[in-house]
Amino acid sequence: MTELVEEYYDEPTDYVEDEALGQIVDAMWSSYFAHTEFLLPSFEQHDIEGDILCASVTISGAKPGIVTVSVERPLAAPLAAALLQEDGELEDEDVYDSLGEVANIVGGNIKALVPDAGSLGLPVVSTAKPLHGASDRLAARLDANWQGQWMTFEVWLSGGNETGQG
């Protein structure tokens, strides 16, 4: 019996799962975007085609990872305007900063779930999703629709070594 228990605890654990990510995104949306349309989560994956913007933040520490928020490019400006509660045209810098802030908010909450987490990196915004190492694994994903366009939230954790340790 002891061997079974020890074997169970040696399995690598993702401290973040789809449900936890969904709750974090829902809380973030309620706090920062309550004045806008609802964010509609999907039970199916919707890969974003064409032009995207992707914001990411890294989590350092014993269980390193990366949190990403990807949006269809036409969605980035309305999302930024909603976050900033601004009307009219926004500068590209404001759009990028706002998307980075969304990743930062979600990433900070994810970091709180990861034992022995180190620091949260600064947000990086690009026109492509970040590359992941061969040992990284997708721990959680949430696809959601807002104003008829898709956004994807992902949490990637380091695969660790052969013993399941990070």
Side-chain angles (χ1 to χ4, degrees):
M1 177 73 168
T2 303
E3 290 175 12
L4 289 175
V5 171
E6 288 174 3
E7 185 177 312
Y8 174 78
Y9 286 110
D10 283 342
E11 289 293 312
T13 302
D14 286 338
Y15 297 97
V16 182
E17 296 175 342
D18 292 347
E19 183 177 343
L21 177 59
Q23 290 172 353
I24 288 168
V25 170
D26 185 54
M28 181 265 312
W29 202 265
S30 296
S31 295
Y32 295 92
F33 298 94
H35 60 284
T36 69
E37 294 176 33
F38 291 108
L39 183 67
L40 304 172
S42 174
F43 294 106
E44 296 179 17
Q45 289 187 3
H46 292 271
D47 291 326
I48 298 173
E49 305 277 332
D51 289 340
I52 69 164
L53 280 181
C54 180
S56 61
V57 292
T58 57
I59 300 171
S60 66
K63 193 69 166 175
I66 187 168
V67 176
T68 65
V69 180
S70 303
V71 300
E72 296 176 4
R73 194 169 183 99
L75 184 61
L79 185 67
L83 178 66
L84 298 172
Q85 297 187 22
E86 295 280 334
D87 292 329
E89 293 289 317
L90 294 175
E91 298 291 326
D92 284 347
E93 183 177 342
D94 293 328
V95 172
Y96 300 155
D97 286 349
S98 295
L99 188 59
E101 183 59 22
V102 170
N104 196 47
I105 294 165
V106 174
N109 284 286
I110 294 295
K111 179 182 161 267
L113 298 177
V114 179
D116 301 322
S119 61
L120 191 66
L122 294 174
V124 174
V125 179
S126 69
T127 56
K129 290 187 177 186
L131 299 176
H132 304 286
S135 66
D136 292 348
R137 65 184 184 280
L138 182 62
R141 178 175 172 149
L142 173 69
D143 294 271
N145 191 289
W146 185 62
Q147 296 188 348
Q149 297 181 47
W150 292 101
M151 63 177 69
T152 302
F153 299 84
E154 293 180 333
V155 178
W156 291 81
L157 297 177
S158 173
N161 60 28
E162 292 178 17
T163 63
Q165 303 297 313

